[in-house]
Amino acid sequence: MKQLRNIWLLTVKDLKLFASDRGALFFAILFPILFIVLFNYMMTGVMGEDTRLEINIATQEPAGGISYQLLAAMETKDDATLKPGEPKIIWLKDYEQAKQDVENKKLSGFIAFPKDFSEAVMIGYGTSLEVIFNPNNTQATAALEGVAQSIASELGAAQVVNDAVISLLVEKDLLSPGTAGDLGQSIRALLTRQATTSDVMITFSTQTAGEVKAENPANFVVPGYLVMFVFFTAAFSASQLVKERQNHTLERILSSSANRNAVLGGVFCGTAAKSLIQITIFWAVGILVFKMDMGVSPLAVILISILMIMVSSAFGVMLATMVKTERSASSIGVITSLILAPLGGCWWPLFITPKWMQFIAKITPHAWATNGFNKLLVFGSDFDSVVPEMLVLLGFAIVFGLIAILRFKTDAE
Amino acid sequence: MGEAFLAVKDIYKSFNGQKAVNGVSFTIDKGEIFGLLGPNGAGKTTVIRILSTVLAADTGDATVGGYSLRKNPAEVRDLVGVCPQDLALYEDLSALDNLIFFGQLEGLNGREAKAQAMSHLALMGLTERAKGKISKFSGGMKRRINLAIALMGNSKLLFLDEPTVGIDPQSRNNIFETIRGLRDKGMTILYTTHYMEEANRLCDRIAIMDGGKFVAMDTPQGLKRQIGDPDKVTLEDIFLKLTGRSLRD
Ligand SMILES: Nc1ncnc2c1ncn2[C@@H]1O[C@H](COP(=O)(O)OP(=O)(O)OP(=O)(O)O)[C@@H](O)[C@H]1O
Ligand SMILES: [Mg+2]
């Protein structure tokens, strides 16, 4: 009971320090929001509400392949027939030319059917659609435009492809409308393929995981940066404990009624409180300014947010018990945050990365958090489907916390 | 002699094989001001850190008000207040916030902590600066806040590790009176200083420590008597005689 009160006192003190530290406030709250506004703005430029989303598709197959029939069925012949929100499908007849255009930046990107598409579909093997954009253009703008485009387009395209194939088969009497539903499922599965990379072109697999609700870039951008910045904040909190050690307040705290666990609890709760403020502001900005949709399960979004705060705070405490100087605390904090963020899918969706990266990503809590958010906000999944993510995040929090406790106990100085 | 409030038994502490405290035993009576003198590196601060449970002794134990350092550290922590040799303050918080925070950690509720904080600030002549950030304070003002924090709570034993370094004579006098006032109310105090005159004026008994050991322990008069007429020799004479004239690293 007494130690709980001490944890509370330590937490309030941390928040007071936080509030009095303009640099920290700027870094933890204003800076991330500026960041999000900027990137969101850039993406909105690509997928603005007024301009209809255009999906460029090409095929590498020789004439006569299934992809030809698909494209013929999918191509938008008359803009006027498009329903609101439905993307316009443009058939790029020349694959090589399209690639050239991407390289020359005339085209921001396109989707291509592979050479073996028909074969793969006939035999029932998987194949992958490519999403091609110009990776040589290292400017964040172009890359992100490409990524944004790819998220929106591949989702939209997969949907269209799916529907097109089925209607095609039904139309040609190859399929009874009754079994069309089952086939739809199989084709979705077929479209879910791993990505492959080549030197010049980045090839994306398309994934369909449920209905595409909206192509609001904020649904992807905000959670990604939120995860990244919450971890940043936690990493910086690690330096708080080091600072306390250096300016001897830790010693003073330890000679008061607070014990070591209360000190760790205080760092944890202080960090968590800061992150909670951060995340609340993020979501508020996301919903009010960027019209984000919380998906079908806002509760799951909130739970994942909270679990993520627990993981990042525990990570901060663990880091705090491992470093000796304030400088090393902040540099390790920045480095881990900067490596883990892209690795964990904060900057671009993991499902567009190569298989090995997706595998490595699994060791980062970031990946589980962003995956959870993507599922909920981009793919419209429900609560149950993110339970694994929640459990893994909880596991991370427990492991980090235990390491912190063990380390801090053996460390009297 | 009254009853011993602090009883230290055979404390040893080494840092990387270097003996910092090499077998120290002593007692302090309730309501006594006990001076701990010694050259730099003698081990004074280490003793205080061990007695305030911040550092664990290698061997040996001590009791505070009957509670063992090893077995009942929580109870010991409730009884002691520490003014560390190094400033231990939150530079970015106000003086008042610092005092209240540490007061609450000592177990005071919000209102008690605020009342004590205001009275200690008055004692230190810093009422005007209550809301000011510590980072804007002068060195001596920080020292006074550092000491004021040690007085927060309901401690029965105070460890004051060089509390008057860098403090001007006006405030210093004020602090002495405060310390005497506390002693008169039954507070037990362990006091370290390098100002011999200060120890002479303030302390009921003095121990001189060197190389991790006590080399003498007596009343100021008693110590001086060891080398001559207590009215003629100073504490400094006996200090230098016992600890030598060589410089410490
Ligand atoms: N954390 C530590 N790690 C290693 N050595 C230490 C540590 N703390 C103290 N020492 C060593 O222990 C010895 C005693 O130090 P201590 O601080 O107790 O001396 P002191 O009597 O308080 O000196 P001063 O008058 O300078 O404050 C010194 O040799 C010091 O270097
Ligand atoms: Mg010292």
Side-chain angles (χ1 to χ4, degrees):
Chain A
M1 210 43 224
K2 194 196 231 168
Q3 296 307 334
L4 281 183
R5 177 173 179 269
N6 286 337
I7 289 175
W8 166 250
L9 292 171
L10 289 162
T11 304
V12 172
K13 179 265 302 167
D14 265 3
L15 286 181
K16 273 192 186 160
L17 285 173
F18 183 57
S20 72
D21 185 347
R22 264 191 219 155
L25 280 179
F26 174 80
F27 189 79
I29 293 167
L30 213 57
F31 182 64
I33 289 177
L34 287 177
F35 221 70
I36 290 176
V37 169
L38 195 69
F39 281 88
N40 204 65
Y41 172 75
M42 277 158 41
M43 291 198 178
T44 314
V46 184
M47 317 193 284
E49 287 166 21
D50 295 342
T51 51
R52 183 177 289 287
L53 180 64
E54 293 186 349
I55 299 178
N56 295 293
I57 307 182
T59 179
Q60 289 177 273
E61 270 200 303
I66 294 182
S67 61
Y68 271 76
Q69 296 169 11
L70 282 173
L71 275 168
M74 284 157 59
E75 193 184 17
T76 306
K77 275 120 199 157
D78 182 1
D79 289 9
T81 62
L82 288 173
K83 286 179 227 122
E86 204 178 332
K88 178 180 177 185
I89 311 276
I90 300 167
W91 183 358
L92 304 172
K93 298 283 163 28
D94 186 343
Y95 175 81
E96 294 301 330
Q97 180 61 46
K99 225 163 148 177
Q100 280 286 314
D101 286 349
V102 172
E103 275 170 31
N104 300 333
K105 295 172 196 160
K106 277 191 214 146
L107 194 65
S108 54
F110 67 98
I111 298 171
F113 289 98
K115 281 200 186 73
D116 62 347
F117 186 77
S118 298
E119 207 182 22
V121 173
M122 300 289 199
I123 304 168
Y125 279 134
T127 181
S128 70
L129 297 184
E130 292 176 300
V131 175
I132 291 153
F133 69 94
N134 192 332
N136 289 336
N137 188 340
T138 48
Q139 278 174 332
T141 324
L144 280 163
E145 271 179 15
V147 173
Q149 189 93 331
S150 75
I151 305 168
S153 57
E154 70 189 347
L155 299 176
Q159 191 67 23
V160 174
V161 169
N162 207 355
D163 297 345
V165 170
I166 294 169
S167 55
L168 193 75
L169 295 176
V170 173
E171 201 179 282
K172 298 208 161 184
D173 256 339
L174 293 168
L175 194 72
S176 73
T179 51
D182 297 336
L183 191 75
Q185 290 299 322
S186 340
I187 292 177
R188 279 183 193 199
L190 171 82
L191 289 167
T192 310
R193 287 300 159 237
Q194 84 266 29
T196 47
T197 43
S198 66
D199 294 344
V200 193
M201 297 299 165
I202 293 182
T203 312
F204 298 130
S205 72
T206 58
Q207 275 201 0
T208 62
E211 308 306 312
V212 182
K213 294 202 91 174
E215 284 134 9
N216 183 353
N219 285 341
F220 168 70
V221 178
V222 174
Y225 284 102
L226 180 132
V227 171
M228 173 171 128
F229 280 107
V230 165
F231 265 85
F232 255 122
T233 305
F236 272 99
S237 287
S239 61
Q240 178 64 31
L241 187 62
V242 179
K243 220 174 178 174
E244 299 246 11
R245 211 189 282 277
Q246 280 172 352
N247 66 23
H248 305 102
T249 44
L250 179 63
E251 186 162 334
R252 189 157 226 163
I253 290 169
L254 287 174
S255 69
S256 76
S257 63
N259 63 19
R260 280 163 211 280
N261 288 336
V263 170
L264 286 186
V267 179
F268 177 83
C269 292
T271 310
K274 281 179 238 171
S275 306
L276 194 64
I277 293 173
Q278 206 180 15
I279 228 167
T280 308
I281 294 176
F282 266 56
W283 283 126
V285 170
I287 293 168
L288 298 176
V289 181
F290 298 120
K291 312 271 181 279
M292 282 177 74
D293 179 359
M294 294 286 262
V296 292
S297 178
L299 178 67
V301 176
I302 292 170
L303 264 178
I304 291 194
S305 304
I306 289 173
L307 282 164
M308 196 186 70
I309 288 175
M310 289 175 62
V311 177
S312 61
S313 305
F315 177 77
V317 179
M318 180 182 80
L319 198 62
T321 61
M322 292 183 159
V323 292
K324 285 277 174 261
T325 66
E326 203 179 334
R327 184 180 286 254
S328 62
S330 39
S331 59
I332 292 177
V334 170
I335 290 167
T336 50
S337 302
L338 281 181
I339 292 175
L340 294 180
L343 207 57
C346 296
W347 296 357
W348 46 70
L350 279 175
F351 53 76
I352 67 167
T353 61
K355 202 80 183 166
W356 62 268
M357 268 182 78
Q358 295 190 26
F359 182 76
I360 293 177
K362 296 272 187 242
I363 63 165
T364 71
H366 299 57
W368 294 91
T370 50
N371 250 344
F373 285 130
N374 283 347
K375 275 190 186 174
L376 292 166
L377 301 176
V378 181
F379 298 121
S381 307
D382 61 2
F383 190 98
D384 290 350
S385 65
V386 291
V387 167
E389 276 80 6
M390 291 181 185
L391 292 178
V392 172
L393 286 174
L394 188 65
F396 270 112
I398 291 171
V399 169
F400 290 156
L402 283 178
I403 293 176
I405 290 171
L406 289 176
R407 285 217 35 118
F408 198 53
K409 272 200 170 148
T410 56
D411 189 346
E413 251 300 82
Chain B
M1 274 243 212
E3 45 175 322
F5 190 69
L6 171 72
V8 181
K9 283 183 275 304
D10 254 336
I11 284 191
Y12 286 82
K13 177 76 188 177
S14 299
F15 294 107
N16 313 315
Q18 283 278 96
K19 285 181 180 132
V21 179
N22 195 7
V24 163
S25 303
F26 63 101
T27 60
I28 306 182
D29 291 344
K30 194 158 175 43
E32 187 181 24
I33 302 181
F34 185 91
L36 186 53
L37 309 184
N40 293 145
K44 306 179 297 291
T45 298
T46 306
V47 167
I48 288 180
R49 296 178 73 208
I50 291 169
L51 296 179
S52 54
T53 77
V54 172
L55 212 59
D58 296 338
T59 60
D61 196 3
T63 56
V64 176
Y67 293 107
S68 151
L69 222 53
R70 290 192 186 279
K71 289 185 209 117
N72 321 92
E75 283 77 6
V76 171
R77 277 198 283 269
D78 283 346
L79 288 172
V80 305
V82 189
C83 175
Q85 177 175 2
D86 300 298
L87 291 172
L89 304 168
Y90 292 104
E91 294 266 331
D92 293 327
L93 295 184
S94 70
L96 191 61
D97 280 344
N98 268 283
L99 284 159
I100 291 177
F101 169 66
F102 286 110
Q104 288 184 309
L105 275 187
E106 289 292 340
L108 300 178
N109 68 33
R111 199 180 312 142
E112 291 165 342
K114 173 125 199 233
Q116 272 204 12
M118 290 313 292
S119 88
H120 292 156
L121 282 169
L123 200 71
M124 299 293 162
L126 289 170
T127 308
E128 308 269 277
R129 308 292 294 256
K131 295 251 160 66
K133 266 196 189 188
I134 296 291
S135 56
K136 302 260 157 61
F137 281 24
S138 77
M141 290 168 161
K142 289 181 190 175
R143 280 277 153 204
R144 276 136 74 187
I145 298 294
N146 198 43
L147 176 57
I149 292 174
L151 308 181
M152 295 294 295
N154 301 310
S155 308
K156 301 276 184 288
L157 171 62
L158 286 182
F159 298 126
L160 307 181
D161 198 352
E162 303 191 29
T164 55
V165 175
I167 291 182
D168 61 38
Q170 291 86 341
S171 308
R172 193 181 288 233
N173 255 324
N174 203 6
I175 288 169
F176 289 164
E177 273 157 35
T178 306
I179 290 173
R180 285 210 197 87
L182 287 168
R183 188 251 324 262
D184 295 343
K185 282 187 215 142
M187 184 74 85
T188 308
I189 296 166
L190 175 65
Y191 193 97
T192 82
T193 180
H194 288 292
Y195 303 115
M196 297 300 141
E197 184 44 34
E198 196 173 298
N200 192 32
R201 270 174 66 186
L202 206 58
C203 300
D204 301 311
R205 270 192 313 143
I206 286 173
I208 295 178
M209 192 173 182
D210 195 13
K213 284 184 161 145
F214 278 15
V215 292
M217 181 160 56
D218 205 340
T219 59
Q221 290 297 78
L223 282 175
K224 286 185 274 186
R225 207 172 290 126
Q226 287 185 14
I227 56 164
D229 180 352
D231 293 333
K232 295 222 177 84
V233 298
T234 64
L235 206 52
E236 189 149 345
D237 296 329
I238 177 85
F239 181 84
L240 289 174
K241 181 157 190 286
L242 287 172
T243 59
R245 289 184 175 269
S246 63
L247 294 182
R248 309 301 155 130
D249 50 27

